[in-house]
Structure formats: structure tokens, C-alpha cells
Amino acid sequence: MHITSQSLRSIAWAALAISTARAQYVIDNLSFGQKLGGYISPDLRSVPHFDVKGIDDYVPQILSDRVILTPPYPGSKRGAIWAQEAMHHSGAWTASVDFRASGMERGAGNLQIWYVKESQAHETPASLYTVSKFDGLVLVIDQYEGRGGSVRGFLNDGTIDMAAQHDPDTLAFGKCDYAYRNRGELTPIKLHHAEGFLEVIIDGATCFKTDKIKLPEGYYFGISASSAENPDSFEIHRFIVSTSNTNTRDEPNRNRYANADQHQQQQNLASQKGHEQQTHKNQQQQNYGSSTSQSDIPKMLEDVLAGNIRSQQDQFADLHNRIQIINNRVFEIAELVERIHKDNADRWNELMHRVVPIDDRGAATIRNVEKVERTTMQILRDLESKDFKDMMNQIHRALENNQEGVMRSLPTVMGAVVSSHGPSMTTFFFIAVAVQIMITGAYIVYKKRKGGAPKKYL
């Protein structure tokens, strides 16, 4: 098959046209975490263009790359993050959320993604089961009906009181099952809205899709989470709203955001300059009074809330002391590890010196032992493989034959022994005569002694 250069140019122009048509433009004032590295907070206190809030003196924790709406401990906490600006895009748009849910084996909680009117936005964080009336869309992610996980979509025009419903889950217009807890990785979920349809995509697969919903512009995005007594921790790492339309209604706001960003940069530069001056001052103090500063470094600091440290100098001092404490502890751990490694090396060398190498005699002994083992194994195999029934029968017949032979030859042998070794008749005659002579002599001696004995007369 031959492809001409003209065909190649046509294919290239078609691919460029398709990529241009499908290009997505991120709306910065409705997104966070879209920058390189995933940084969402410059000062760990706020998220630009978003409001972060909680209830009952609880404030969600803001880190450099995530927002922890509900903590892993304790439970029964609620947190939310709301966009400060409305969505002013009439064309196709996509809202993408990367979150993580983790907790104990039977932990519980729920996560809501909102797109509602301004009257419901920025309110106290609530879930589907506690909110009364709202106008807009909400996606609920929880363990509905005891399953591993469920994603459900709800719509309301402001007339339905969700909190008063006996079973609000029956009002869902779309749902799917998805195990989102303790996955060990981020879970991406997308809400794609275009002319004529609304699609929810989770982890790259379509959860549900409908062509009967059209969301109006001018609504606000928000994410809320609540945990149960056995809590689930919900972390939001990215929230990105993108559109394929470059001409948007928020163009007039860009100058305001640019001025705000410029003002923020000026504040950051001033803060950095003050930080450098404070660092230079501390270095000078260390150079002129190192002997006293070493003794002033605390060994341990108590935990304090970030809100209790007001001034920048106190913040820097607290951070400086804690970094020095961590540095000292790391140095001590490094020394301990090095000492343990040295002790193990010394013990290994001592053990190797005590081991006597095997000489030729030892090798010969080992060979003899191996030979005995092989012979023993051969005997065992022979004993296990052979049948000794015939051999036992032969031994039994041999014993019977030996017994019969002994019984036949025993009288003859005994007669021969008696005849060859027994006494003769002459011997018996002389023995009888000698016995008679001895008896007669003994009687004569008795009579003589009796006759010669003195007599007594009465």
C-alpha cells in the first residue's frame, strides 16, 4: 500500500483539527492542584479562590498538596471546600476530582461533590442526609446498603426537602458500585457535561450517563465530607474544571485575579525579605554568642496550635527550634546506626577468626560420613523394596529339619555317651564289698566299747 505525501498532509491536518477541537482549557479560578507538583496552598492556611470550613470548632487541615476534609481521628467531623466564583461556561465542561478515602476496617463516612446555586453555596458543610432543600446537582460517594462503595447522583430544583425524606436514596437518577476505600492510590472521578448529556466517569470507566439533564451556568462547585463515629479520612488532592471553549464570561475577572496575584506576590517577596533579614540576624547572633545559644536550644517543644502563633517572628522561632530539634535527633539516630554497624562488623570479624578451616582429615571424615549415609539410604531402599516372605519360609523349613534331625540322633548319642563314659560291673561289686566291710568293722568296734564300759549296779 502506497501513501502519497498529499495523503500524509491531509492526515496531519485532520489530526491537528481534531486535537484542537478536543483541547481542554483549565479554569484557574475554579481549580486547585493543577499546577506542576500538585501544590495547592502557598502558605498552608488557605487555597486560592476557595473557602475551606468545618463545624464545631473543627477546621480541615490544609497541606501543600492536599486538603484533609475529615481526619482519621476523631470521628463525627465535617469539612467542606467551596469555590468563590461561579461557573460561567455554557458549553461543554468537565469537573475532575482526585480523592483518597482511608480508615479502619469498618469505617464509615461519605463524600459529596456539589454543583448548586449561590444560596446553597458556602453554607455549613452538610451531606445529602442532613441538607434540606438545594437547587442543583450532588454526587454522593459512600457505602450505600453495606456494599464496598457506591456512587449516586441526585438532582433537586429547590422544592424537595431531602432531610424530610424517609429514604432519599430512592431519588437517585443514576448509580454504580465502586470500592473506593483503602485503595492505596488516588481515585479519579469526573463529571462531564455537554450539550445533551451528563456523564459520570470513575477511574476511567463510565459509572452512569444520561441525556435528560442540562445543568445551567452560574452555579457553584463544592466538595463536602462527613465521617461517622468509626471515621473515614477523606483527602482531596486535585479539583480541576476544564472547558473546550476559550471565550468565557470570566474574562473580565482575570485582571482582578491578576492584581490579586500580583499583590500576593508582593506580600510573599516582603515576607521573604523579612525572613532573610531575620535569618541574617540569627546568624550574627550565633557567630557572636555561639556558646550561649547552644545552651538555649530546647531539647523538646510542646505541641501548639498553629492559630496560637500570631506574629511572624514567633512562627519563625518555633519553626527554627523544631527543625534544630529534628536535626539533632536525626544526627543522634545516625550516630547510633553507625555504632551498631561498627559493633556488628567487629563481631563478624571475631566470629570469622574463630572459625577453623577444614583440613584434609576433616574433608575425609565428611566423605566417610557421606558414604555411610549413602549406604544407609541404600539399605533402607532395599528393605522397603524387597519382599522377605520367601526368605522367612526357608528359615522356618530349615529350623524344622534341624529339629527332626536332633530328635532322631539324640537316643543314639546318649547311649554312646553312657556306654563310653558310664561305670563297669566290677566297680559296682567292689563298692558293695567295701561298704559291707565298713559296716561290719563299725559294729565290732561298737560291741567292744560297750562291753568294756563300767557297769552300774543298783
Side-chain angles (χ1 to χ4, degrees), residues 32-47:
F32 61 83
Q34 76 275 17
K35 297 181 180 179
L36 183 63
Y39 294 103
I40 64 176
S41 176
D43 54 2
L44 303 183
R45 293 184 179 180
S46 62
V47 179

Side-chain angles (χ1 to χ4, degrees), residues 115 128 134-139 153-158 160 162 171-173 198 210 212-215:
Y115 183 70
L128 175 71
F134 69 94
D135 185 358
L137 167 72
V138 59
L139 292 180
F154 297 86
L155 287 173
N156 195 351
D157 58 357
I160 302 175
M162 289 293 184
L171 302 177
F173 67 88
L198 175 69
T210 179
K212 299 179 181 180
I213 296 176
K214 182 179 179 181
L215 299 176

Side-chain angles (χ1 to χ4, degrees), residues 329-449:
R329 294 296 181 269
V330 171
F331 182 73
E332 292 176 359
I333 293 173
E335 286 186 341
L336 179 61
V337 171
E338 184 177 359
R339 186 165 59 252
I340 292 174
H341 178 71
K342 184 176 180 301
D343 294 341
N344 291 335
D346 295 339
R347 292 175 182 175
W348 171 258
N349 294 330
E350 183 180 359
L351 181 61
M352 294 302 296
H353 286 307
R354 290 184 179 181
V355 175
V356 179
I358 300 176
D359 54 0
D360 295 338
R361 183 178 298 177
T365 303
I366 293 176
R367 288 194 297 271
N368 292 334
V369 172
E370 292 177 353
K371 184 176 180 181
V372 171
E373 289 180 353
R374 288 195 297 269
T375 305
T376 304
M377 295 300 297
Q378 184 65 31
I379 293 173
L380 290 175
R381 286 193 295 268
D382 293 341
L383 291 175
E384 292 175 354
S385 61
K386 292 183 178 180
D387 189 4
F388 295 92
K389 184 177 181 180
D390 296 337
M391 185 179 295
M392 295 300 295
N393 292 332
Q394 293 176 5
I395 294 173
H396 184 67
R397 287 194 296 271
L399 290 175
E400 289 180 350
N401 295 332
N402 290 333
Q403 183 180 4
E404 292 176 356
V406 170
M407 294 300 294
R408 287 195 300 267
S409 62
L410 183 60
T412 305
V413 174
M414 291 298 294
V417 172
V418 172
S419 61
S420 61
H421 298 283
S424 62
M425 294 301 295
T426 306
T427 304
F428 280 109
F429 177 74
F430 280 110
I431 291 174
V433 172
V435 171
Q436 292 292 331
I437 294 172
M438 291 176 62
I439 294 173
T440 304
Y443 180 74
I444 295 172
V445 173
Y446 171 73
K447 295 298 285 184
K448 285 183 177 182
R449 288 186 177 180

Side-chain angles (χ1 to χ4, degrees), residues 113-178:
I113 302 175
W114 303 85
Y115 183 70
V116 294
K117 262 188 176 181
E118 183 178 5
S119 58
Q120 284 84 33
H122 312 291
E123 292 182 355
T124 302
S127 65
L128 175 71
Y129 307 102
T130 58
V131 68
S132 57
K133 298 179 181 181
F134 69 94
D135 185 358
L137 167 72
V138 59
L139 292 180
V140 179
I141 305 170
D142 60 2
Q143 300 180 78
Y144 174 62
E145 293 182 345
R147 300 172 184 172
S150 176
V151 181
R152 305 184 306 285
F154 297 86
L155 287 173
N156 195 351
D157 58 357
T159 60
I160 302 175
D161 190 352
M162 289 293 184
Q165 295 293 320
H166 177 68
D167 189 5
D169 294 299
T170 58
L171 302 177
F173 67 88
K175 65 178 180 179
C176 69
D177 295 333
Y178 185 80

Side-chain angles (χ1 to χ4, degrees), residues 203-215:
D203 204 6
T206 300
C207 178
F208 57 86
K209 183 178 180 181
T210 179
D211 57 354
K212 299 179 181 180
I213 296 176
K214 182 179 179 181
L215 299 176

